Amino acid sequence: MRHGSGASMAELFLELIVEEIPARMQAGAEVRLAKMLREALAEHNLGGDTPKTLSSPRRLAVAIADVCAQQEAQNIEKRGPRVGANDKAIDGFAASLGVARDVLETRETDKGAFYFASINQPAIATKKILPSIINTILESFTWAKSQRWGVGRARWVRPLHAINLIFDGEAVAGEFDLDGAHITYGATSQGHRFLAPNAIALSDAKTYEANLQKHFVIADRNKRRELITAQMEKLAQKAGYQILADDGLLDEVTGLVEYPHAIMGAIDKRFMALPREILIQSMRHHQKYFALVDSRGKLAPAFITISNMAADTARDKVIRAGNERVLRARLSDAEFLWEQDSKIALTTHAKKLNEMVYFEGLGTVAERVERISTLAKILAQKLSVASPAPAAKLCKADLVTGTVGEFPKLQGIIGGHLARGEKLDADVATAIAEHYQPVDRDDALPQSPLGCVLALADKLEMLKSFFRIGKKPTGSGDPFGLRRAALGVIRIMDEQKFDLDLAPILGTAQGELLPFLTDRFYVYCRDKGFAHDVLRADKSAGFEVAARLQRLDALAQFLNTDDGKNFIQAWRRVHSILAQSKLDAPQKINPAHFHDASEEKLFTAFSKIKTADALTAMPTLTAPINAFFEAVKVNDDVAERRNNRLAMLKEIDDWVLNFADFSQLEGGTRGDDDDEMGL
């Protein structure tokens, strides 16, 4: 039921004041809160189709301008117990709706006779309904992580301090009690914690953003992001630098500040000799600083930090000095670790892998390296790549270094730098640096042939090993990142166009790993736009990703052509009649038993294309199949004719299904009704 077109509309505004919401959770919470509010309003026929969401570290807000001022009078029908149910159930149903039992109606449905109640609900002001709606949303609002606070048992992402609810310009009275967290609704917001800690009286959503901005809060997440970008670009351009693109950090910092102010700091020149990745990691992950590059793309001796304070010359100077001091200390530690690690050969580092346990039941990291080396050798031979032995033996050596201990995300990369410092072969250094790639679905792939081989070996060893000891992903749980590893294997094989079937390489692990890899492959294909039913129809053997994708693409294109659609309709007639009929006994086709010219024409047409490319040949069968069904009755009274016809149809059906299971396509296998099917 829709709200009446003549209903007067009013603005609803909800603000939740919370202690600092983790930056990574804010954007999703905005969307989720708006969605839940829209759905709840729709359930009450109150409109609310155009929400505007806002968020900052200390607040979530939703404004909806088109909410009905009242819920119109309506007739509501409720279905109760089945006729014949016990009196207690029937009386309870009537009592729950506030009606007498004798006003209940009995109606027949497709599931039998039931009691129904019709209730005339009078119009009710939206303001009276809103507290119940909001409380229900807050009680069911989920977070990836939540916590308890105070003496109660309430759980939320962070302590919830205030609920501000305004409708049609007036505060809505209400209370929220969640396991001891008692909050009375209000209409008073809060400004910046330090710059404007005084309370802010709220009247409507239209003035909300402007009022908060006067109190040093930019409530719109997108505006904060744009402001941060503009400020940084201005500072960088003035210094002759460019910002090193980092959308992840930009999103995170946007969720850390309410009133952003960009400040540029300097990096001591001595630290610029460190590997680029160490500098970037120190700035990004430890300090949330943005790195800068010069016109040649070389890392610049400067950074930008985003303060959560208004611009002030004296204060900016103090903040700049403090940030430079903290970064100097971090880089001094990194410099010491790097210098110590650089004094030791990678082969010496690698010897310590015998002392590092990989995982219980899987031996040491040194033993894992041996397994990777074996796989890499097999892969290199099949892909005609140079011997991977030197790179494979050293690929995990940097795990024992102090630098990787401090910067775990740089494993592999540090090994590559150490290899270059030792003047090892450039291909070996590159492969070591690349072999963890891709780390996630958006990460870059290894580009060198040797790097690809090593990356595949690394991920396949992980999959084989963890599956061998029964540590498979379950449901949404995947603590060892095996789905991510499988996706990495698939991406490398696809994007590098490797002509390689992994099935034989998996050896005894094929039984469990092939279905798992195939499932990940279908997820990958869906992300590339393949339809679910086309994927279900795929009957490719083995695990040759590039060839399989090429086959799926050809199949999808075929099914989208008139020839493909017409053939599928013809084949469905074949498949459906076989499902409903039965050969008296398995037999071969006997042309001597043909009784109609259409039988011989279909037999001849099929005989010509049995060994041809299926997608090219299939359309040539469409007309003979249709002519056959129009000319003969398959289930002939004469047994030899019936069995001969069914045998021919079965051979055609088996040939088609051996290529792809078209019964999985949307539309099923039922075509026309029985008479038209030739039954």
Side-chain angles (χ1 to χ4, degrees), residues 475-497:
S476 60
D478 186 15
F480 308 111
L482 301 184
R483 292 189 181 100
R484 188 168 60 243
L487 183 60
V489 168
I490 292 164
R491 279 190 61 200
I492 292 171
M493 293 181 67
D494 173 26
E495 297 184 34
Q496 298 295 343
K497 304 303 176 193

Side-chain angles (χ1 to χ4, degrees), residues 361-382:
L362 296 178
T364 65
V365 176
E367 290 172 313
R368 184 185 182 218
V369 168
E370 288 301 318
R371 295 193 294 268
I372 291 173
S373 298
T374 300
L375 281 169
K377 182 179 179 181
I378 295 170
L379 289 164
Q381 289 173 345
K382 290 184 176 294

Side-chain angles (χ1 to χ4, degrees), residues 539 567-568 570-580 583 589 602 606 609-610 618 621 625 629 645-663 669:
K539 292 190 71 173
F567 174 75
I568 294 300
W571 167 80
R572 279 181 175 144
R573 301 179 78 178
V574 173
H575 191 72
S576 186
I577 199 170
L578 287 169
Q580 299 169 55
L583 276 164
I589 304 166
L602 178 56
F606 180 57
I609 56 93
K610 281 192 218 179
M618 284 176 185
L621 290 182
I625 289 173
F629 279 112
R645 289 167 183 170
L646 288 172
M648 181 164 60
L649 294 180
K650 187 176 188 310
E651 192 169 329
I652 293 171
D653 192 49
D654 289 345
W655 176 75
V656 171
L657 291 177
N658 186 56
F659 175 77
D661 186 1
F662 288 141
S663 65
T669 58

Side-chain angles (χ1 to χ4, degrees), residues 523-539:
V523 171
Y524 178 71
C525 289
R526 286 199 294 272
D527 289 343
K528 290 175 79 71
F530 285 102
H532 290 258
D533 56 344
V534 173
L535 296 176
R536 289 196 300 267
D538 176 44
K539 292 190 71 173

Side-chain angles (χ1 to χ4, degrees), residues 463-482:
L463 289 164
K464 290 181 67 174
S465 293
F466 280 101
F467 266 69
R468 176 164 56 83
I469 62 172
K471 299 294 183 181
K472 310 163 197 171
T474 55
S476 60
D478 186 15
F480 308 111
L482 301 184

Side-chain angles (χ1 to χ4, degrees), residues 332-389:
S332 292
D333 291 343
E335 181 183 50
F336 172 78
L337 293 171
W338 172 248
E339 288 177 350
Q340 295 303 308
D341 292 335
S342 299
K343 294 175 182 177
I344 302 171
L346 270 178
T347 51
T348 303
H349 283 304
K351 292 176 183 177
K352 297 179 184 177
L353 295 177
N354 285 305
E355 304 165 12
M356 181 180 284
V357 175
Y358 175 40
F359 191 82
E360 186 178 355
L362 296 178
T364 65
V365 176
E367 290 172 313
R368 184 185 182 218
V369 168
E370 288 301 318
R371 295 193 294 268
I372 291 173
S373 298
T374 300
L375 281 169
K377 182 179 179 181
I378 295 170
L379 289 164
Q381 289 173 345
K382 290 184 176 294
L383 295 171
S384 301
V385 173
S387 172

Side-chain angles (χ1 to χ4, degrees), residues 98-305:
V99 300
R101 175 171 175 169
D102 58 9
V103 303
L104 298 179
E105 303 174 27
T106 59
R107 297 182 199 168
E108 287 292 335
T109 72
D110 56 354
K111 295 183 179 180
F114 286 84
Y115 286 104
F116 282 81
S118 294
I119 306 166
N120 291 315
Q121 180 175 292
I124 182 171
T126 300
K127 186 179 288 189
K128 293 183 179 180
I129 306 172
L130 284 176
S132 174
I133 290 175
I134 300 303
N135 287 350
T136 300
I137 290 173
L138 295 180
E139 287 168 2
S140 58
F141 201 87
T142 57
W143 297 89
K145 291 185 179 180
S146 57
Q147 65 177 53
R148 290 197 310 230
W149 71 95
V151 296
R153 296 181 59 80
R155 296 186 69 89
W156 234 56
V157 63
R158 294 290 185 271
L160 180 61
H161 289 304
I163 301 169
N164 294 316
L165 184 61
I166 298 170
F167 186 67
D168 200 13
E170 296 181 0
V172 177
E175 294 182 341
F176 177 63
D177 195 340
L178 179 63
D179 289 333
H182 182 82
I183 301 172
T184 300
Y185 287 14
T188 305
S189 188
Q190 298 175 9
H192 192 284
R193 189 189 297 276
F194 303 111
L195 298 175
N198 297 332
I200 305 168
L202 299 177
S203 58
D204 55 50
K206 294 176 183 176
T207 59
Y208 175 73
E209 287 187 68
N211 282 340
L212 280 185
Q213 189 158 347
K214 291 176 184 177
H215 291 79
F216 301 97
V217 174
I218 308 296
D220 189 310
R221 177 182 184 81
N222 293 327
K223 288 181 180 177
R224 286 202 310 280
R225 197 179 196 276
E226 291 169 2
L227 182 59
I228 291 170
T229 301
Q231 290 179 355
M232 290 198 302
E233 287 177 348
K234 184 177 180 180
L235 282 177
Q237 188 175 17
K238 185 177 179 180
Y241 300 138
Q242 297 173 350
I243 303 163
L244 184 64
D246 195 333
D247 287 341
L249 179 58
L250 180 56
D251 285 336
E252 185 176 7
V253 171
T254 298
L256 292 174
V257 298
E258 290 193 316
Y259 199 74
H261 171 51
I263 299 172
M264 182 178 286
I267 303 173
D268 288 2
K269 292 287 179 68
R270 74 178 233 226
F271 296 126
M272 300 310 294
L274 288 170
R276 173 190 181 103
E277 294 84 0
I278 292 178
L279 287 160
I280 293 172
Q281 284 285 309
S282 296
M283 287 187 277
R284 187 202 192 288
H285 291 283
H286 288 156
Q287 302 306 127
K288 314 304 179 191
Y289 299 165
F290 289 86
L292 300 166
V293 294
D294 60 22
S295 57
R296 297 170 297 170
K298 186 178 179 182
L299 207 62
F303 64 87
I304 293 178
T305 185

